[in-house]
Amino acid sequence: MVDHDATEATRIAIEDTQTWLLQAVVGLNLCPFAKAVVVKDMVRYRVCLSTDPADWLVLLRDELQHLSEADPQVLDTTLLIAPHALPDFLDFNDFLAACDEVLVDLELDGVLQVADFHPRYQFGGTSEDDIDNFTNRTPYPTLHLLREASIDKAVQAYPDASLIFERNIEVLNTLGHAGWAKLGIQARVIA
C-alpha cells in the first residue's frame, strides 16, 4: 500500500531542494563544482519525514554506505533532507556530532564527508538575519554527503578554492535579502 501523503511530502521536499540547488548553488555559482554533477544527474535525493533525529541518523548510515559503494561516475553526491527534524539551528548544529560519529563508525572518514545546511543557518559572530548566513540556508534541514576524491579533484581544477567563501559573501551582499527572495527559494508546508 502506498502512503500518498508521504509520497507527496517527499516530492515537495525534493522539488524545493532542487529549486534551491538550481537557483542558489548553481545559479549564483555558490559552489563552482556543483553544476557538473547537477547537469549529469549525479545527485541523489533522500527524504526523512520523521521528526526524530535518530531516524535521520539511520538514513544517514544507509546513504553513506550506499554512496561509498556506488560508482562515482554514476553517483557523486547525496542530499538527505529532513523537513520535520531539528527546526532549531542550535539543535541541528549539536546533531552534527552524531553525524560525524556515524561516519567514523563506518570507517568512511577520509572517504566521505558530511556538509550541513539549514533554513536558519547562522555562522558564529553573525546576527540571524545577516545575508552571509544564506550561503548555507536551504528550505529544510539538509545533510550533503560528498566524496573526498571529488572534492580533491574539484579543488585541483579550481586553484583558488579558498576564495569561494569570500566570493559567495560578496555575491550575497550584492544580491541582498530582496534579491534572495526573488530566487523563489522557500519551504512549502509538508504534512
Side-chain angles (χ1 to χ4, degrees):
M1 182 175 187
V2 175
D3 182 343
H4 293 291
D5 289 340
T7 302
E8 180 68 4
T10 297
R11 183 189 64 75
I12 290 169
I14 291 171
E15 283 179 1
D16 291 349
T17 300
Q18 287 173 328
T19 297
W20 162 76
L21 186 61
L22 292 171
Q23 295 297 320
V25 178
V26 174
L28 298 176
N29 200 29
L30 296 180
C31 177
F33 321 124
K35 184 176 182 178
V37 296
V38 170
V39 169
K40 294 177 186 173
D41 197 27
M42 297 172 68
V43 180
R44 179 174 162 101
Y45 302 88
R46 300 284 285 150
V47 178
C48 177
L49 294 175
S50 175
T51 59
D52 186 348
D55 293 333
W56 201 6
L57 286 176
V58 170
L59 180 60
L60 173 64
R61 176 177 292 278
D62 292 346
E63 289 302 315
L64 285 167
Q65 290 174 319
H66 180 85
L67 183 59
S68 71
E69 295 167 1
D71 180 348
Q73 300 302 314
V74 176
L75 177 61
D76 187 71
T77 190
T78 302
L79 292 171
L80 302 182
I81 309 154
H84 304 300
L86 301 167
D88 181 84
F89 176 68
L90 294 178
D91 292 341
F92 173 78
N93 202 43
D94 290 343
F95 170 75
L96 298 174
C99 296
D100 288 340
E101 289 174 18
V102 171
L103 191 65
V104 170
D105 184 53
L106 292 172
E107 298 180 356
L108 291 173
D109 52 320
V111 177
L112 301 176
Q113 70 175 243
V114 179
D116 53 292
F117 299 89
H118 193 275
R120 299 180 61 113
Y121 199 95
Q122 184 174 351
F123 290 106
T126 65
S127 67
E128 185 176 346
D129 291 331
D130 281 356
I131 194 72
D132 299 13
N133 297 317
F134 286 66
T135 62
N136 285 53
R137 289 209 176 162
T138 50
Y140 311 102
T142 301
L143 299 175
H144 181 195
L145 313 185
L146 302 112
R147 296 176 185 275
E148 291 276 352
S150 295
I151 296 167
D152 293 342
K153 188 171 27 171
V155 168
Q156 288 174 353
Y158 196 92
D160 292 330
S162 62
L163 300 176
I164 293 170
F165 180 75
E166 292 173 26
R167 183 203 155 279
N168 289 349
I169 299 302
E170 185 178 310
V171 165
L172 287 174
N173 278 305
T174 300
L175 186 68
H177 290 284
W180 181 267
K182 287 180 184 176
L183 296 176
I185 299 168
Q186 61 183 352
R188 290 180 273 174
V189 175
I190 296 179

